[in-house]
């Protein structure tokens, strides 16, 4: 085990600390010139461990120029870490310069950083990409000794991670001696992460250092007093219990699963807030300033609680947080642990966390999560291979930096962890795509973005190409958003354009913790005022919900099936399961339980698949297509994390035929091509790959644009060149993520020959939550027309207008009320005033 | 595929799910906003190398509509090319297809804001607006009180219909008893929401939308814009 130089040892001692084993282990790896991955729970000096070798090196041999690059997924984190590093550097009087570089860095400082880079530069993947595309990147990075990738688990397997992986390969060429250090939360697949981090795509290149875990967290499941809800995901019934917990703790983070839920839980807590606790709201659609304000108030101890989404999953440690509340099901064990770890960063005391399930199924899921944590069994998939769209952007970045030889670039790209398996064919196709669109019809010879010189080197065609690349760089593609501004006041954040499209003047909605009245749309800004009449709505955002993880689903099945494991479940849930056992059957751990029953004129089929909402949505489309072929006249379906429910005009018989493996054949292909999910995926891919511009230099976006619709391009391309590289990229990505095809295949395999079909005379107890689930389905092109016909027919009958349609699903499921009681109508004026006063005073404090 | 009849200024007009309008008594087929060569227009100004198949696709659709109605005349309501030079960029086989489609037809090119000049080398007459009987065909609807009988394009109207699986948005015809606005016909043409004031204000007494479907149109009434702003 390595030792610290005297200066450093003294500094540790002066603070009453002793270096942790993992900190010394990283020092060792650095001395051996080896890359390393540190896997440790939050707290425990992980970041310092990453920097320590660099600090020691620079202390022993001071020098000018860039020594260490630090990459964080969050801008704010880079800034905070820089501030925290100043302490040891200042106190030991080390001759080390530290700076950050993000999108917010002023132009003059950026220019200076290129001239005279600091020793330690803290930045984001996007800023690094930009730096590498500059003509003088080779000079700037030539002396780079180390790169530290923070929150590596959150980057690997994402598009930003793909981009970073390619950048690391680039850096390795510019600075061959470069050492890589990854910092990660505890993950299920450390070897895959090592491979991702490795300079050759091989896990053995990266030394694995495991940080000692702290004391095991203390977790509880908390139920609402009184009735345990059958359905819903908001958890508002538990608001009084949550509030009581907030009063007992010093500082709490209340984690929820969606932004809509955050708004509702925040409302519900303030409604109970007689003690006037300072409770704040934090989610990704609020303005950056507002979020920073909340974070600052949090770290200064001016808040008692913050209701947050995944927007607070990562970030700087707040020592003061002593309780985490998870409202709604955790969906994944790894994420739950990460969230729990946000409380109490002292290693010698347990983190306190409480899980608040919002319905009966979620109670089982929470119990399963506790089991998994006790067994230290994590979930999550290993990082998927890198996307071709990100590669397209990278190739353009390389051309913007300097002319390149395709052979050398291919070799460089395949040394990166994310692209180790990239075929030369794919590389060449992507290169051609960047060059001239890569179409079989070579129509754009004149407009090519790249050209090859006589020696075969590839150049950027002109300065406009370079400028456009810089403006459109990045792999984060937002759904079209509309800013929300208070009339005569500040910007509050943004909501999806689609949501605003459904509002008319006077409608009210809840956003940024306030009740707002929509006044008008002014360009790309929704102007709102406070207050409003009638039932408020809550903006929802696409893709916000994470599906139930495979591992957790397996545990849920295990618990449901085995009455011996019900001991930990609360009595109402046990009773519910016993009723299920009596009226129907318990879903088997392997095999597939399918129930059918009639309600009114419709036949329902409920399949207990437990493969997560995304997989069920895809499966629903496949199964209903098969039902159509078999003449069952399916009318619709609904997917939850646990079950797939369909309804049809005729009785589904011989249901085994609906779950045969061959539904993954033609029907899947057909559906994938038509699916609106694929369209969304294509839009993102086309934008990242540079086919669609996010920003046009010198072109102003007018408020009313007839937007070039990615859907139209998708349709045309699919018809005329179905094998285009971007369509291949789209299908590849969909197979990995959105459609969860692998999970469907697994389910069908499990079900083969083991479908247990029960024809019941009514809905079973387990089926009830699915029947009252509220769901907006993704529908295919064909089904869309059926929906339109249905809606148009209703319009014919109707006199009242649009209000009718929201009730339609309830009508289909026969008077089961939908989403009622989710929103509190009564809204005491005084409370509104109080909250406003609070949010004003928080503003004043800044 | 079934078209929906409407009556404007005493004339019976057929709205077709393909997004074209047919005037039976004149055997006239009307299309709006073809935006031919939009893809190459983007490429030429360096705004992305979109799939170069849009013209081909639009012409194929136009061919289908012409085969269905076998009209005596074709009237394009302007923005037939995405820019003034558009017709010079037509690929040879696309140009041949277009000439073949137009052969034997009385073609009228109403000029639009994207293509303010007549397309050289193509058959047909160009004009700023075209009158025939009680109807007037122009690129962009004139605001304010107008005599009934206006047929126009320009706005690319699209409508959203709420369904139980969320709203479905499609290009649409927008009409009242006095005027009709056609959806854009081009393969790369996006749309403007029918509720946008620029469109809704043209229909002070409300309008009816006909959303395009595969086989039929889907009709949806739209309240007048005034009510939207004072509600």
């Amino acid at each position: 085990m390595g030792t610290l130089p005297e200066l450093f040892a003294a500094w540790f001692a002066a603070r009453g600390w002793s270096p942790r084993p993992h900190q010394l282990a990283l020092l060792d790896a650095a001395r051996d010139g080896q890359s390393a991955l540190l896997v440790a729970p939050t707290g425990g000096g992980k970041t310092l461990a990453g920097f320590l070798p660099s600090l020691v090196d620079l202390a022993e041999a001071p020098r000018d120029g860039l020594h260490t690059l630090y990459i964080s997924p969050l801008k704010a984190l880079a800034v905070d870490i820089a501030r925290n590093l100043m302490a040891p550097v200042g106190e030991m009087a080390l001759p080390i310069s530290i700076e950050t570089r993000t999108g917010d860095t002023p132009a003059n400082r950026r220019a200076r950083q290129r001239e005279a880079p600091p020793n330690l530069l803290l930045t984001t993947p996007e800023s690094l990409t930009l730096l590498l595309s500059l003509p003088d990147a080779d000079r700037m990075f030539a002396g780079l000794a180390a790169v530290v990738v923070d929150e590596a688990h959150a980057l690997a397997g994402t598009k930003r991670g793909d981009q970073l992986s390619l950048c690391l390969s680039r850096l390795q060429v510019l600075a061959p001696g470069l050492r890589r250090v990854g910092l990660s939360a505890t993950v299920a697949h450390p070897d895959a992460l090592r491979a991702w981090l490795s300079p050759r795509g091989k896990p053995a290149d990266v030394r694995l250092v495991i940080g000692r875990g702290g004391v095991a967290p203390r977790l509880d499941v908390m139920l609402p007093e009184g009735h345990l809800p059958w359905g819903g995901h908001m958890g508002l019934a538990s608001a009084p219990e949550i509030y009581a917990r907030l009063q007992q703790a010093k500082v709490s983070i209340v984690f929820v699963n969606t932004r809509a839920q955050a708004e509702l839980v925040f409302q519900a807590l303030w409604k109970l807030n007689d003690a006037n606790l300072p409770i704040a709201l934090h989610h990704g659609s609020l303005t950056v300033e507002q979020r920073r304000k909340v974070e600052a108030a949090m770290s200064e101890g001016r808040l008692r609680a913050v209701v947050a989404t995944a927007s607070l999953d990562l970030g700087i440690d707040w020592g003061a947080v002593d309780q985490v509340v998870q409202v709604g099901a955790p969906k994944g064990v790894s994420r739950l642990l990460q969230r729990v770890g946000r409380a109490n960063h002292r290693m010698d005391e347990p983190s306190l966390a409480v899980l608040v399930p919002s319905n009966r199924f979620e109670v089982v899921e929470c119990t399963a999560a506790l089991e998994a944590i006790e067994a230290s069994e994590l979930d999550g998939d290993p990082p998927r291979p890198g996307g071709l769209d990100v590669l397209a952007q990278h190739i353009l970045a390389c051309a913007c930096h300097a002319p390149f030889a395709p052979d050398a670039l291919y070799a460089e790209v395949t040394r990166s962890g994310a692209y180790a398996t990239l075929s030369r064919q794919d590389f060449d196709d992507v290169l051609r795509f960047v060059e001239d669109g890569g179409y079989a019809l070579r129509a754009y010879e004149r407009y090519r973005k790249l050209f090859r010189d006589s020696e075969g080197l590839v150049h950027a065609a002109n300065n406009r190409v370079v400028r456009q690349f810089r403006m459109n760089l990045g792999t984060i593609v937002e759904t079209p958003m509309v800013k929300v501004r208070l009339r005569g006041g500040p910007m509050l954040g943004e909501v999806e354009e689609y949501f605003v499209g459904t509002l008319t003047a006077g409608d009210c909605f809840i956003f940024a913790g306030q009740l707002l009245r929509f006044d008008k749309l002014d360009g790309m800004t929704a102007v709102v005022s406070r207050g409003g009449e009638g039932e408020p709505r809550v903006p929802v955002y696409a893709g916000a919900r994470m599906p139930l993880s495979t591992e957790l689903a397996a545990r849920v099945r295990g618990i449901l099936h085995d009455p011996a494991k019900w001991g930990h479940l609360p009595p109402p849930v046990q009773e519910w399961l016993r009723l299920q056992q009596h009226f129907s059957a318990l879903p088997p751990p392997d095999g597939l339980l399918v129930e059918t029953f009639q309600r009114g004129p419709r036949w329902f089929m409920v399949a207990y698949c437990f493969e997560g909402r995304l997989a069920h949505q895809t499966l629903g489309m496949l199964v209903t297509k098969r039902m159509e072929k078999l003449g069952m006249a399916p009318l619709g379906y609904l997917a939850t994390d646990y079950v797939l429910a369909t309804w049809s005009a005729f009785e589904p018989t011989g249901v085994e035929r609906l779950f045969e493996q061959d539904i993954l054949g033609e029907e899947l292909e057909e559906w994938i091509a038509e699916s609106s999910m694929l369209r969304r995926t294509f839009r993102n891919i086309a934008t990242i790959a540079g086919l669609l511009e996010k920003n046009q230099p010198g072109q102003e976006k007018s408020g009313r644009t007839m937007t070039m619709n990615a859907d139209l391009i998708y349709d045309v391309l699919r018809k005329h060149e179905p094998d285009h590289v971007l369509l291949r990229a789209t299908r590849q990505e969909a197979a990995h993520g959105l459609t969860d095809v692998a999970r469907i295949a697994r389910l069908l395999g499990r079900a083969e020959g083991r479908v247990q079909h029960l024809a019941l005379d009514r809905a079973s107890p387990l089926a009830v939550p699915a029947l009252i689930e509220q769901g907006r389905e993704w529908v295919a092109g064909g089904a869309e027309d059926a929906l339109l016909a249905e809606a148009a027919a209703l319009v014919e009958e109707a006199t009242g207008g649009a209000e009718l349609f929201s009730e339609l699903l309830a009508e289909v499921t026969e008077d089961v009320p939908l989403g009622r009681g989710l929103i509190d109508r009564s809204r005491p004026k005084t409370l509104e005033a109080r909250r406003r006063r609070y949010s004003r005073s928080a503003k004043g404090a800044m | 595929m079934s078209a929906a009849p409407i009556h404007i200024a005493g004339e019976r007009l057929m709205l077709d799910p393909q997004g074209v309008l047919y005037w039976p008594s004149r055997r006239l087929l009307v299309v709006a906003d073809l935006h031919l060569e939009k893809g190459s227009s983007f490429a030429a100004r360096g705004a992305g190398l979109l799939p170069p198949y849009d013209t081909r696709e639009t012409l194929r659709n136009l061919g289908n509509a012409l085969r269905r109605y076998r009209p005596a005349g074709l009237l394009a309501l302007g923005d037939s090319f995405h820019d003034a030079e558009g017709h010079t960029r037509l690929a040879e086989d696309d140009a041949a297809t277009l000439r073949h489609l137009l052969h034997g037809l009385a073609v009228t090119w109403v000029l639009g804001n994207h293509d303010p000049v007549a397309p050289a080398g193509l058959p047909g007459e160009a004009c700023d607006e075209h009158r025939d009987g009680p109807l007037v065909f122009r690129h962009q609807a004139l605001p304010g009180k107008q005599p009934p009988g206006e047929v126009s394009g320009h706005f690319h109207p699209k409508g959203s219909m709420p369904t139980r699986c969320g709203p479905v948005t499609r290009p649409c015809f927008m009409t009242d008893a006095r005027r009709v606005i056609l959806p854009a016909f081009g393969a790369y043409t996006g749309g403007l929401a029918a509720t946008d004031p620029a469109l809704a204000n043209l229909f002070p007494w409300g309008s009816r939308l006909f959303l395009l479907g595969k086989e039929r149109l889907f009709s949806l009434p739209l309240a007048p814009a005034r009510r939207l702003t004072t509600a």
Side-chain angles (χ1 to χ4, degrees):
Chain A
M1 184 68 50
T3 50
L4 278 178
E6 211 162 299
L7 179 63
F8 285 80
W11 180 77
F12 270 94
R15 332 199 101 215
W17 294 353
S18 54
R20 297 230 161 78
H22 61 256
Q23 292 174 328
L24 296 175
L26 283 195
L27 209 52
D28 267 351
R31 283 184 181 135
D32 299 343
Q34 215 192 354
S35 294
L37 173 67
L38 170 58
V39 173
T42 19
K46 196 157 61 173
T47 322
L48 184 58
F51 278 103
L52 203 51
S54 300
L55 299 184
V56 169
D57 193 22
L58 280 167
E60 285 168 354
R63 62 160 158 117
D64 282 339
L66 196 57
H67 179 283
T68 294
L69 198 59
Y70 164 92
I71 317 286
S72 146
L74 302 175
K75 259 194 277 195
L77 188 57
V79 174
D80 285 336
I81 298 287
R83 203 184 305 128
N84 291 358
L85 272 178
M86 299 290 187
V89 169
E91 284 156 16
M92 288 185 274
L94 300 174
I96 298 176
S97 54
I98 304 172
E99 285 181 30
T100 59
R101 184 188 181 105
T102 68
D104 302 337
T105 308
N108 58 345
R109 195 188 309 164
R110 287 193 214 190
R112 188 174 45 67
Q113 283 173 344
R114 278 170 72 179
E115 279 306 305
N119 294 139
L120 309 186
L121 183 65
L122 293 83
T123 187
T124 59
E126 288 73 23
S127 289
L128 175 60
T129 305
L130 190 63
L131 279 173
L132 282 170
S133 78
L134 298 174
D136 51 2
D138 34 2
R139 197 173 48 81
M140 184 169 183
F141 292 107
L144 190 67
V147 55
V148 179
V149 179
D150 204 354
E151 312 272 15
H153 64 283
L155 283 168
T158 69
K159 296 208 174 194
R160 300 179 78 203
D162 295 348
Q163 189 172 44
L164 178 59
S165 183
L166 290 166
C167 286
L168 292 180
S169 248
R170 195 87 263 277
L171 284 173
Q172 205 81 39
V173 171
L174 302 180
L178 177 68
R179 181 168 62 71
R180 305 170 179 203
V181 179
L183 308 177
S184 166
T186 320
V187 284
H189 308 276
D191 283 346
L193 200 53
R194 281 162 83 193
W196 182 82
L197 193 66
S198 150
R200 294 186 305 159
K202 296 194 167 57
D205 294 344
V206 177
R207 191 178 296 182
L208 181 64
V209 177
I210 307 265
R212 189 176 58 92
V215 185
R218 242 183 34 223
L219 292 113
D220 285 320
V221 175
M222 185 170 78
L223 299 179
E225 192 110 339
H227 177 69
L228 182 58
W230 286 90
H233 299 281
M234 296 300 175
L236 300 185
S238 295
E241 287 77 15
I242 299 171
Y243 184 69
R245 287 283 196 142
L246 300 188
Q247 281 183 301
Q248 288 156 20
K250 283 202 290 284
V251 183
S252 312
I253 304 181
V254 180
F255 277 116
V256 299
N257 291 334
T258 64
R259 283 170 266 192
Q261 190 187 7
E263 295 278 357
L264 288 170
V265 168
F266 179 76
Q267 292 284 324
L269 289 177
W270 268 95
K271 193 157 177 266
L272 301 167
N273 196 358
D274 294 330
N276 218 359
L277 302 181
I279 301 174
L281 178 66
H282 193 286
H283 64 69
S285 287
L286 302 176
T287 58
V288 176
E289 299 79 54
Q290 210 152 2
R291 278 182 273 157
R292 289 298 97 79
K293 216 161 68 190
V294 169
E295 288 160 23
M298 192 78 175
S299 59
E300 288 159 23
R302 286 188 287 121
L303 290 179
R304 287 291 295 278
V306 54
V307 179
T309 59
S311 60
L312 278 191
D313 278 3
L314 303 179
I316 192 83
D317 298 351
W318 292 318
V321 177
D322 58 349
Q323 173 177 259
V324 161
V325 182
Q326 162 72 37
V327 188
K331 298 300 163 200
V333 180
S334 299
R335 186 178 75 160
L336 177 61
L337 269 181
Q338 174 108 5
R339 288 185 161 185
V340 169
R342 302 295 274 152
N344 184 18
H345 287 124
R346 285 177 302 271
M347 309 273 289
D348 46 351
E349 282 174 38
S351 305
L352 285 189
V354 49
L355 308 185
V356 184
S358 57
N359 63 46
R360 287 159 191 246
F361 260 122
E362 290 190 355
V363 173
V364 184
E365 191 180 321
C366 287
T367 312
L370 295 193
E371 259 188 19
I373 286 176
E374 208 163 296
S376 313
E377 187 192 274
L378 293 172
D379 51 11
D381 299 319
R384 47 141 192 77
L388 299 181
D389 50 343
V390 182
L391 178 62
Q393 201 180 93
H394 183 71
I395 288 177
L396 190 53
C398 291
C400 290
H401 162 62
F404 64 81
D407 290 348
L409 186 59
Y410 174 67
E412 176 190 316
V413 164
T414 48
R415 280 195 298 270
S416 75
Y419 292 87
T421 57
L422 179 76
S423 74
R424 182 64 196 241
Q425 179 70 47
D426 279 347
F427 176 83
D428 286 341
D429 285 354
V430 173
L431 175 57
R432 254 215 68 208
F433 162 76
V434 180
E435 248 176 319
D436 65 0
Y439 303 107
L441 179 68
R442 292 183 176 249
Y444 295 150
E445 205 61 30
R446 277 179 290 172
Y447 314 119
R448 25 195 331 130
K449 288 207 232 176
L450 306 176
F451 73 88
R452 294 179 201 227
D453 64 19
S454 55
E455 285 160 29
L457 292 183
V458 177
H459 300 247
N462 51 47
N463 277 333
R464 189 174 60 188
V465 169
V466 177
R467 245 184 0 254
Q468 260 176 13
F469 163 75
R470 302 221 161 105
M471 290 190 70
N472 287 288
L473 165 162
T475 58
I476 303 171
V477 184
E478 296 279 354
T479 336
M481 297 296 249
V482 170
K483 290 197 164 62
V484 179
R485 186 165 56 80
L486 260 185
R487 189 182 280 275
M491 229 30 124
L492 297 175
E494 44 187 28
V495 297
E496 280 186 16
E497 193 180 9
Y498 146 77
F499 176 75
V500 174
T502 66
L503 295 175
T504 54
D507 283 0
C508 65
F509 62 101
I510 295 172
F511 181 71
Q514 307 179 40
L515 181 64
L516 303 169
R517 177 187 182 278
F518 175 66
D519 291 341
K520 60 170 181 176
L521 189 63
D522 183 4
M524 288 306 280
T525 305
V527 181
V528 300
S529 39
R530 286 208 175 94
E533 302 280 310
E535 180 143 356
R537 297 171 50 197
V538 187
V540 289
Y541 302 82
R545 266 156 70 182
M546 170 179 167
L548 179 66
S549 79
T550 309
E551 292 78 3
L552 201 48
R555 282 195 180 268
V556 169
R557 279 200 309 271
I559 293 178
L560 286 181
H561 174 68
D562 185 2
K565 288 188 178 166
W566 295 355
H568 294 298
L569 298 173
V573 175
Q574 291 190 28
E575 179 62 24
W576 176 52
L577 295 180
R578 261 194 295 277
L579 282 175
Q580 172 71 14
Q581 201 174 14
H582 182 256
F583 284 111
S584 173
L586 295 166
D590 44 8
L592 176 66
L593 172 66
V594 180
E595 297 169 345
T596 54
F597 53 90
Q598 194 178 14
R599 257 174 90 75
R602 291 182 169 88
W603 286 89
F604 283 78
M605 176 176 84
V606 180
Y608 297 87
C609 310
F610 295 99
E611 289 296 348
R613 202 167 42 90
L614 293 178
H616 293 167
Q617 261 164 2
T618 307
L619 184 67
M621 192 49 80
L622 300 179
V623 165
T624 46
K625 279 204 170 185
R626 179 60 61 95
M627 289 171 81
E628 215 167 287
K629 272 191 193 157
L630 295 174
M632 297 171 191
L635 298 163
Y637 72 92
L638 199 76
T640 75
D641 265 331
Y642 313 105
V643 309
L644 168 68
T646 68
W647 47 97
S648 54
F650 302 109
E651 180 176 9
T653 51
V655 299
E656 301 79 21
R657 291 173 297 168
L658 302 176
F659 296 93
E660 271 164 8
Q661 307 228 22
D662 63 0
I663 62 168
L664 281 177
E666 225 171 88
E667 280 138 330
L668 178 69
E669 279 298 307
E670 212 176 291
W671 178 68
I672 279 191
E674 290 285 326
S675 154
S676 53
M677 272 196 279
L678 259 281
R679 288 163 186 276
R680 196 178 276 252
T681 306
F682 176 77
R683 187 175 72 86
N684 293 350
I685 282 180
T687 309
I688 293 168
L691 184 68
L692 299 173
E693 305 279 324
K694 278 194 281 191
N695 299 299
Q696 269 288 318
Q699 212 193 29
E700 243 178 78
K701 214 179 174 189
S702 75
R704 253 192 8 243
T705 45
M706 293 163 198
T707 44
M708 167 60 84
N709 192 335
D711 283 6
L712 301 168
I713 297 165
Y714 178 73
D715 285 338
V716 168
L717 189 54
R718 206 158 59 81
K719 216 178 273 180
H720 293 271
E721 198 170 335
D723 202 37
H724 189 264
V725 63
L726 287 195
L727 293 181
R728 281 182 358 234
T730 304
R731 287 192 290 265
Q732 188 189 351
E733 185 173 322
H736 272 288
L738 285 172
T739 49
D740 256 340
V741 173
R743 289 183 77 170
I744 300 176
R746 218 150 44 214
L747 162 75
L748 296 176
R750 203 168 68 218
E752 196 175 10
R754 279 190 297 237
V755 174
Q756 182 186 2
H757 176 203
L758 292 176
L760 307 176
D761 53 3
R762 63 175 115 155
S764 75
L766 274 190
V768 171
L771 297 183
I772 59 175
E773 177 90 4
Q774 196 170 16
R776 185 173 135 208
E777 292 301 308
W778 298 95
V779 285
E784 246 181 36
D785 269 47
L787 286 171
L788 281 173
E790 190 181 275
L794 258 174
V795 173
E796 291 300 316
E797 293 167 27
T799 48
E803 292 76 14
L804 259 149
F805 307 126
S806 61
E807 297 297 324
L808 193 67
L809 185 60
E811 189 258 331
V812 167
T813 52
E814 283 196 9
D815 302 329
V816 183
L818 256 185
R820 214 165 280 161
L822 275 183
I823 297 161
D824 303 305
R825 275 164 203 265
S826 58
R827 201 165 295 281
K829 284 250 155 35
T830 50
L831 181 75
E832 274 297 313
R834 234 189 301 160
R835 181 164 53 228
R836 275 212 295 278
R837 197 174 60 232
Y838 171 67
S839 64
R840 260 204 304 276
S841 70
K843 201 164 102 201
M846 285 303 290
Chain B
M1 194 180 291
S2 44
I6 58 164
H7 291 85
I8 288 182
E11 291 297 324
R12 182 164 171 273
L13 304 173
M14 304 299 291
L15 308 183
D16 187 279
Q18 294 179 75
V20 298
L21 178 148
Y22 185 62
W23 188 6
S25 74
R26 299 290 195 280
R27 292 187 57 215
L28 179 69
L29 189 72
V30 184
V31 294
D33 300 277
L34 299 174
H35 286 266
L36 296 170
E37 292 301 312
K38 184 168 179 175
S40 65
S41 179
F42 270 57
R45 58 187 170 85
L49 302 168
L50 302 176
Y53 307 109
D54 56 319
T55 297
R56 192 182 281 195
E57 178 68 12
T58 305
L59 293 180
R60 187 157 89 177
N61 295 336
L62 184 61
N64 288 339
L66 287 169
R67 266 190 298 282
R68 179 162 152 79
Y69 287 98
R70 304 209 169 277
L74 174 72
L75 188 146
L77 284 170
D79 289 359
S80 303
F81 285 90
H82 189 67
D83 58 63
E85 284 80 47
H87 59 274
T88 63
R89 291 193 309 269
L90 269 181
E92 225 157 85
D93 51 343
D94 287 339
T97 309
L98 181 55
R99 271 194 295 272
H100 176 74
L101 289 177
L102 301 181
H103 181 75
L105 289 174
V107 181
T108 310
W109 305 99
V110 171
L111 299 178
N113 50 316
H114 278 269
D115 55 349
V117 292
L122 288 172
E125 309 269 314
C127 58
D128 285 322
E129 64 178 42
H130 175 79
R131 285 177 189 274
D132 189 351
L135 298 185
V136 55
F137 299 87
R138 55 172 66 104
H139 178 58
Q140 182 173 356
L142 291 182
K145 200 166 155 62
Q146 300 293 331
E150 182 190 75
V151 180
S152 63
H154 178 67
F155 287 105
H156 306 194
K158 63 176 182 185
S160 277
M161 188 181 260
T163 77
R164 69 182 146 84
C165 296
V168 174
T169 303
R170 292 283 174 87
C172 66
F173 292 94
M174 191 167 182
T175 182
D176 61 8
R178 311 173 71 86
R179 60 169 40 135
V180 55
I181 298 179
L182 270 64
F185 192 77
Y188 279 173
T189 48
L192 180 68
T195 48
D196 190 285
L199 265 168
N201 288 340
L202 292 168
F203 297 90
W205 296 282
S207 59
R208 182 162 281 275
L209 309 181
F210 291 92
L211 273 61
L212 307 188
K214 281 202 180 107
E215 296 295 324
R216 52 166 284 202
L217 296 164
F218 302 100
S219 157
L220 175 76
L222 193 67
R226 207 170 294 140
R227 223 176 70 193
L228 289 179
T229 48
T230 54

